[in-house]
Amino acid sequence: MIDQSVVAPPDSVARLPVRPSAGRFLILAVVFVCAACGLVYELELVALASYLIGDSVTQASVVLSLMVFAMGLGSLLAKRLRCRAAVGFGLVEAALALLGGLSALVLYATFAWMGESRYALIGFSLSIGVLIGAEIPLLMTLIQRVSRQDAGGTVADLFAADYVGALVGGLAFPFLLLPWFGQLTGALLTGAVNVVAGGALVLWIFGRDLTGRERGLLLLVNVLVLAVLATATVLVDDFERAARRAVYGDGVRVAVQTDVQEIVLTGGAEGPLDLYLDGRLRVSERDEHRYHEALVHPAMRGPHARVLILGGGDGLAAREVLRYPDVRSLTLVELDPGVARLARTDPALAALNEHVYDDPRFRAEYADAFTWLRGRGAVGAGGSGAYDVVISDLPNPGITPSTKLYSEEFYGLASRVLAEGGRLAVHAGPPAVRPRTYWTVDATLRSAGFGTSPYTATGQAAGFGTGPDRSHDGRNAGGDEGAGAGARTDWGFVLAAVGRPPAVGLAPDAPRLRSLAPPVLEAGILRAERTRLRDLPPSTLVHPRYAG
C-alpha cells in the first residue's frame, strides 16, 4: 500500500523550463530508464553470484529477497527526503549508478583476491535495494510538483513506466549487455546511463528550484561518478586479466566467453593442461585419464558398435571410446560449440584428446542433451537409431543448471535410445563428499526402470566440485568443497541397464589402460557401497532433490 503522505500534492509548484505536460513526460521517461537500470543491477548480481558461488536457485533467492526487503526500507527512508525531493533524487541516482556500476567489479575482485564474495553480494543487494526503493516515492513527489493529477493517476502512470522499464532492462541484460559488452563493462555502462538520466532530470527540469550550492553539489557528484565509471571502463580489460591470473595462476593461455559459459585453458605448452568452465576445474591433464577410463570402459563391456556421449565436448571420453576398433559410430551431443571448437583447434587439448574430432567415426551435434534425447523419442529401444552404450559425461547434479540432466524424465528418455542389452554410464558426483546427491542419482535411475551398479574411482588433482576451484595453487587440490590441499578426490559413477544391474568389469578386448584394472574396479565398488544411503526419493523435473 502506498503511503498517502508521500503522494499528496505538495504546496509548491516547480518552476519548469518546459510545459507541465512535457515535464511530466520527461519524468516518466526517467522512471522508465531508472527501472531498466535497476533490473539490470539485480540480474547482474544474480548472474555473477551464480557463476562465482554456484547454485543459481539459492543465489537468485538471496539476491531478490534481500533487494525486495531493502526496497521497502528505502521507501520508508525516502519520506525524510520529500522536502528536498529534487536534490534527494539526484543524489540517490548518483549513488545507485556508482554502486550498481561497480558491483560486478567488486564482486569479481573479492572472489579473485579474497576467495569469498558472499558478504559483498549481501552488501550490494541491500544497498542497491535501498536506493531503488527510494526512487518511486521521490519521483511521485516530483511529478506532482509538475502537474496536479490525482494520486491514483500518478501511481498508475509511475508504475506503468516502472514496469515497462523493468521489462526492457530484463530483456536487454541477456540479449544486449551480456553478449555485446560482458558482465563487467555492461554494469559500468548501465551505471553511466543511470547517472546521466537522473542528473539531467534534476539539473534541467528542476534546476530553477535548486540553490546554487545544491546545483554545484549535484553537478560535482555526477561528474565524479561518471569519471569513476569511465576510468573503470577503460581499465576493465587490465582488471580482468589481473583477476584471472589471481584465480587461475599465471599460465592462462586461452580465455573465451561463449554464449554458454567462460572457458579458460591453462598450461599445455609448459606444464599440465587444465580446462576450467565457469571457474570450475573440469579437466586436469595430470589425472584426467583416471576419470575418463573409469567412466567409459566398464560401459564398453558388451556390444558397443554404436555409442552416444552426452556432454564431453573436450573429446576425452570420446578418445577412450574410439580406442575400440569395432566401434562403428560415435555421436557426441555438446551444449557449447565453443568447447568443441577448442577441443578441435587448440594444439594442447587436441593432442590430449588424440584428435578425435578428425576421426571418421565421430560426429558432433550441438544441442541441450535433454532436448536432443526428447527429439529422438520416436526411436524405440532396439530400433535403427538405438545405441549400445550411452555415456553421460555431465557436470555434477548439485549444480543447479544440471539437475534436469539427472532427473527421472531424463533417464527415461535415455532408456528409449538404448538398444536391447545396452548400458548407460553416468557421472554422479563424489559419494564420499556428497553421498546423498550420489545415491539420489542411483535412486532416480532405478525409478526410471534401470538396474544399477555403483562404483567409484580416485584421482589426485582434478575435481568436479560445485564451487569455483583453486586447484592450480593447491589450496583445494581435491576440487571438492571440504577437501584440503593435496587431498585425493573421488569420482562416483553408476553403470545402469534397463531391467537388471549390469556387471562392472572390463571387456575382453579392452585396450591397455593407464589406471583401470579389475582390482581397481572391485575396490571402487566397495568404496561406493560403504557410503550407501537407502530409501531416497528420486529426483524429477518438478521436484529436484539434489543439494547445491
Side-chain angles (χ1 to χ4, degrees):
M1 180 178 294
I2 303 297
D3 190 322
Q4 294 299 313
S5 65
V6 174
V7 299
D11 295 333
S12 61
V13 177
R15 296 173 295 166
L16 304 177
V18 296
R19 291 177 300 175
S21 59
R24 186 180 186 86
F25 172 81
L26 291 172
I27 292 176
L28 292 176
V30 170
V31 173
F32 171 88
V33 172
C34 292
C37 293
L39 196 65
V40 168
Y41 299 145
E42 293 182 33
L43 296 175
E44 186 72 44
L45 290 175
V46 170
L48 199 56
S50 300
Y51 163 52
L52 299 179
I53 303 173
D55 187 4
S56 58
V57 170
T58 298
Q59 305 316 320
S61 300
V62 168
V63 170
L64 296 179
S65 59
L66 286 176
M67 291 191 80
V68 170
F69 165 73
M71 287 166 64
L73 291 179
S75 295
L76 292 175
L77 294 174
K79 295 169 66 174
R80 298 178 177 270
L81 298 175
R82 281 174 44 214
C83 58
R84 309 301 301 173
V87 69
F89 178 75
L91 293 175
V92 164
E93 290 308 298
L96 181 58
L98 185 64
L99 286 175
L102 294 178
S103 59
L105 276 171
V106 175
L107 280 176
Y108 196 27
T110 57
F111 164 74
W113 282 282
M114 300 174 63
E116 175 60 72
S117 54
R118 286 182 175 88
Y119 297 115
L121 175 68
I122 292 171
F124 276 113
S125 299
L126 289 172
S127 56
I128 291 175
V130 166
L131 294 170
I132 291 175
E135 289 177 327
I136 291 296
L138 294 176
L139 286 165
M140 285 181 175
T141 301
L142 292 177
I143 200 169
Q144 290 211 319
R145 292 188 61 193
V146 171
S147 63
R148 292 182 176 273
Q149 185 177 354
D150 65 281
T154 300
V155 170
D157 289 345
L158 283 173
F159 281 150
D162 186 75
Y163 294 151
V164 174
L167 170 66
V168 172
L171 295 176
F173 178 73
F175 297 115
L176 175 64
L177 293 175
L178 275 184
W180 286 19
F181 303 106
Q183 289 179 319
L184 303 184
T185 304
L188 292 167
L189 291 177
T190 302
V193 171
N194 198 164
V195 71
V196 168
L201 175 70
V202 174
L203 291 172
W204 178 35
I205 301 299
F206 296 98
R208 296 178 182 179
D209 289 342
L210 302 177
T211 66
R213 185 176 180 180
E214 288 173 339
R215 284 195 299 271
L217 174 63
L218 283 177
L219 185 60
L220 176 62
V221 168
N222 279 269
V223 169
L224 287 177
V225 170
L226 275 176
V228 170
L229 296 176
T231 302
T233 303
V234 171
L235 298 177
V236 71
D237 290 337
D238 294 332
F239 167 84
E240 195 168 355
R241 283 191 291 268
R244 191 175 287 125
R245 285 195 299 270
V247 175
Y248 301 109
D250 295 327
V252 175
R253 287 194 301 107
V254 177
V256 179
Q257 180 67 55
T258 70
D259 293 338
V260 178
Q261 59 200 340
E262 182 190 50
I263 308 171
V264 173
L265 287 177
T266 66
E270 297 180 2
L273 172 73
D274 286 337
L275 168 65
Y276 295 84
L277 301 180
D278 273 350
R280 299 171 178 89
L281 180 64
R282 293 302 182 209
V283 170
S284 175
E285 187 177 358
R286 289 177 288 270
D287 64 352
E288 58 78 18
H289 63 279
R290 297 177 182 271
Y291 168 83
H292 291 101
E293 286 181 358
L295 172 66
V296 171
H297 292 285
M300 300 296 283
R301 182 181 181 182
H304 49 249
R306 302 193 68 203
V307 180
L308 170 66
I309 298 178
L310 304 172
D314 50 50
L316 299 172
R319 174 198 66 196
E320 298 301 320
V321 169
L322 293 176
R323 295 178 68 186
Y324 292 82
D326 51 342
V327 170
R328 294 202 307 268
S329 69
L330 169 59
T331 302
L332 182 141
V333 180
E334 168 61 42
L335 176 63
D336 190 355
V339 174
R341 191 179 306 113
L342 278 177
R344 186 175 58 251
T345 60
D346 181 78
L349 187 53
L352 189 61
N353 65 38
E354 298 179 2
H355 302 276
V356 293
Y357 279 80
D358 299 328
D359 193 299
R361 297 172 292 172
F362 179 89
R363 179 171 61 93
E365 298 194 19
Y366 305 111
D368 173 77
F370 193 103
T371 304
W372 190 90
L373 284 176
R374 193 174 185 181
R376 304 281 294 185
V379 180
S384 60
Y387 296 92
D388 300 305
V389 179
V390 175
I391 296 170
S392 178
D393 186 13
L394 298 165
N396 268 353
I399 301 174
T400 304
S402 300
T403 53
K404 74 172 183 178
L405 304 180
Y406 289 84
S407 65
E408 182 178 339
E409 293 87 346
F410 180 77
Y411 294 133
L413 294 173
S415 69
R416 294 162 66 180
V417 301
L418 274 174
E420 185 176 354
R423 284 85 59 210
L424 168 65
V426 177
H427 163 238
V433 178
R434 297 184 182 86
R436 189 173 188 86
T437 295
Y438 177 79
W439 289 106
T440 297
V441 175
D442 178 82
T444 303
L445 281 162
R446 288 187 282 106
S447 180
F450 286 93
T452 61
S453 299
Y455 64 101
T456 69
T458 60
Q460 182 65 40
F464 293 79
T466 61
D469 194 304
R470 299 298 188 87
S471 297
H472 69 273
D473 61 5
R475 280 175 282 181
N476 188 2
D480 294 309
E481 290 144 0
R488 297 182 70 85
T489 186
D490 66 331
W491 296 294
F493 306 97
V494 180
L495 184 63
V498 176
R500 58 192 307 177
V504 177
L506 298 177
D509 61 340
R512 184 175 181 179
L513 305 178
R514 295 169 61 184
S515 63
L516 199 62
V520 175
L521 281 173
E522 292 171 7
I525 295 171
L526 293 176
R527 275 196 307 273
E529 195 60 35
R530 284 197 292 267
T531 68
R532 179 177 286 275
L533 299 176
R534 301 183 185 277
D535 301 322
L536 294 176
S539 182
T540 66
L541 289 178
V542 296
H543 198 159
R545 299 181 183 274
Y546 299 109

